[in-house]
Amino acid sequence: MVRNSLRSLIASALLAGALAALPVQWAAAQTAINAPMQISWEVRNRFRLFREERDFLLHADSARGRSVLASEQALELQSDGRGWARNTVNRLCIDLSGRVNEPCTRDNVKESYLTPTDHPITVRLTGQIPVGATCAWSFDDGEGPQQSAFDCAEPVNLRARYGRPTIATVEVSSGPEAPQRVSTEIMVRDIFIAGLGDSVASGEGNPDRPIALSDEGFCFRYYLGTAAAQYYRPSRAGYKGGRACEAPESLQVWQRQSALWFNSACHRSLYSYQTRTALAMAVQYPHIAVTYLPLACTGATIPDGLFGSQRARECPPTKSGASCKGTVNAQLAELREAVTAAKRRQPERNLDLILLSIGANDINFSGLVADVIVDTPTERVLFRRSGVMGSIDDSRAALTRELPQSFAKLREALKSLVGDLQRVVYVSYADPTLADGAPCPGGRAGFDIHPSFNAQPQRLANVSGYVENEFLPQLKALALCQSGVLCRDPRADRMTFVDAHQAAFANHGFCARASSDPEFDRECFSPKGESFDPDIVTAANQPMLCGRSAGEYRAYLPRARWIRDANDSYFAAMSYPQGLPSSSQPADIHDATWGILSAVYGGAVHPSAEGHAVMADAALPAVASVLQLDAAVPEVIQEPASPIVVAPDERRPAGQPGGLY
């Protein structure tokens, strides 16, 4: 049946945004003046995580002739550093607790998220079209044709059945000339992708809506200190509770102004390379739809996170005052449940691809970071006793013993989910410690958010060498069954491995600086590590020595560093450490433990949004190759036409947009 409610302006905007992101050869065919007539089509709002098409079109427009990195940088400037995800995060088909909305209402149509039955598409005639020509359209998916006729300049909007080809035919009539008929096959390929892994996979360091900071200071205590052993750092904007260390306040009051994550328990972010890769696929390829299921969780290891449950990173406040569950379900169990549910409704539905990054927590990389940046004796002793701080020797032992065994178990579990392990795209880590191709020099710059932090040069150089020469090579060997790694069938058990981004990160580690960095960073984050006022009297009202408001910091502006330092982590997320065992939980929100971990639990030494975009640029060609997304499309058939008979009530006046449903 023809629908008259859609406007040609909307349809044209849809097409313009999508054309900007299409492969060059496809877009060129749409604009070539002398090109033969052909039927062109695209799936609308084809990144199905987004409920509203405006969010998809934002990326389609930004991606015009750009890499994912260049697109991210353009969006950062467009949002004045506030980030494109700050509003999108409330318009998704997965809620903030990680539950898939079934059904999900997308652009006013209820759809099953995991098992779509049809997809919205826009079809139009392109090429050398006679002026004023009339098009008689027919769309047949095997259940009888849908027909309509109107001006050839108008697009046609309809929903194409999932898993079934639709034959599109148009008869083009213009004056006394013989009509021409053009046909093509429309077949939407819906690609089901899951994201698994740890904090680098989840997007840690990049809250979808960053924390807002105030001009005023907030008091933290030192370990084992006297009443005078205090320091002040920027408080949260809107926080009305006690800011002095002598005026403790409940965590619930403090959390009302928390940063917002796509999923707080796992610090899942729309900026993660996994989300950006899936989104970039949808932007670049107009004939597919992408059903993306993000499951990665910060802090995950293979045993605790993939195979077993893990602690939640933090719990958002609830209106009902319900207590924090404190745990997150195993990712593999969640994925298995989703695939089973999908196959129950659509037996032919399969998981097409898994994006994976895992292993850093298995060798206690966060413990190595703590060993590098925690410099004062008291904190080092306490952190070593509690197990927060690690050593290269302990990490090396886990790398050579536990990790290979865990990886072998993981390989078998993934094979049962996705079949061919080439469909598991393992995206490796980048070394966060490099700038100009060499290890960062160390020091307090970027880490003076806490008085005990100092990236000690020798410990930093040792960790950098271990990461470059042992950890990253071993991960590659594990994924590709190389260098003595035992696999049942080395040829069949290899994953698809991505590390092309590592060379780019060699110039963009946490210490990278440039004259093009944001003005606030250059003026307020001291290269000597002297960014904050040490006087607790004056710092209570203005903690920044530069005299500027901490609220001027922008988490999403282009920077030379693609790795969040500790200052970035505090200024972007300021996460309360709920993921710790109860024995290590802070006593209150001014506690010394919270003071240290607030500076790292939001993503210190993790990729920024730009870093994740670079990783997505590296992953996208591998994903396209595995899924054969660049395979040839069906040929257009053009021939003289015998008439398509259209009933009188199905004819549309010239200039009125089409819609078939």
Side-chain angles (χ1 to χ4, degrees), residues 9-241:
L9 181 61
I10 296 175
S12 298
L14 281 173
L15 188 72
L19 284 178
L22 302 185
V24 174
Q25 67 273 19
W26 195 88
Q30 317 312 304
T31 57
I33 296 176
N34 297 319
M37 287 189 295
Q38 60 179 302
I39 296 173
S40 301
W41 62 277
E42 60 169 327
V43 183
R44 302 195 308 274
N45 196 9
R46 49 190 176 270
F47 187 58
R48 300 187 61 251
L49 183 65
F50 291 169
R51 285 195 284 116
E52 298 186 13
E53 189 167 33
R54 57 176 166 164
D55 294 316
F56 176 75
L57 291 177
L58 176 70
H59 290 272
D61 182 62
S62 175
R64 182 185 290 113
R66 295 183 175 126
S67 63
V68 181
L69 173 62
S71 175
E72 172 60 34
Q73 290 169 333
L75 290 170
E76 289 180 347
L77 294 173
Q78 181 179 322
S79 69
D80 188 32
R82 290 175 170 83
W84 57 264
R86 68 191 187 282
N87 297 317
T88 304
V89 69
N90 290 320
R91 301 191 289 261
L92 304 174
C93 281
I94 297 177
D95 66 24
L96 298 180
S97 67
R99 292 189 299 267
V100 174
N101 294 329
E102 287 286 13
C104 181
T105 301
R106 302 180 66 246
D107 299 315
N108 300 316
V109 177
K110 287 186 177 181
E111 300 178 6
S112 169
Y113 185 69
L114 294 178
T115 53
T117 58
D118 54 24
H119 293 88
I121 65 170
T122 294
V123 183
R124 67 188 306 147
L125 188 66
T126 60
Q128 194 173 14
I129 306 170
V131 176
T134 299
C135 282
W137 290 93
S138 174
F139 299 93
D140 192 347
D141 61 7
E143 295 188 356
Q146 301 177 72
Q147 298 175 336
S148 187
F150 40 89
D151 193 300
C152 290
E154 300 297 339
V156 184
N157 295 322
L158 68 148
R159 298 189 73 87
R161 292 285 296 275
Y162 167 74
R164 179 184 297 182
T166 296
I167 304 302
T169 305
V170 60
E171 179 187 311
V172 184
S173 301
S174 177
E177 298 179 6
Q180 292 290 312
R181 175 175 292 173
V182 182
S183 298
T184 195
E185 180 182 280
I186 296 172
M187 183 75 170
V188 178
R189 181 182 178 189
D190 191 287
I191 297 173
F192 185 8
I193 300 177
L196 301 177
D198 55 21
S199 54
V200 169
S202 73
E204 176 70 277
N206 303 282
D208 299 282
R209 188 178 300 158
I211 195 77
L213 299 175
S214 73
D215 298 351
E216 301 168 323
F218 182 86
C219 182
F220 293 99
R221 290 187 288 268
Y222 287 105
Y223 276 104
L224 306 179
T226 64
Q230 304 172 356
Y231 65 97
Y232 278 82
R233 293 297 182 262
S235 184
R236 290 180 173 180
Y239 172 66
K240 303 301 182 183

Side-chain angles (χ1 to χ4, degrees), residues 424-444:
V424 177
V425 178
Y426 185 96
V427 180
S428 190
Y429 306 94
D431 188 336
T433 68
L434 301 178
D436 299 322
C440 290
R444 285 178 51 75

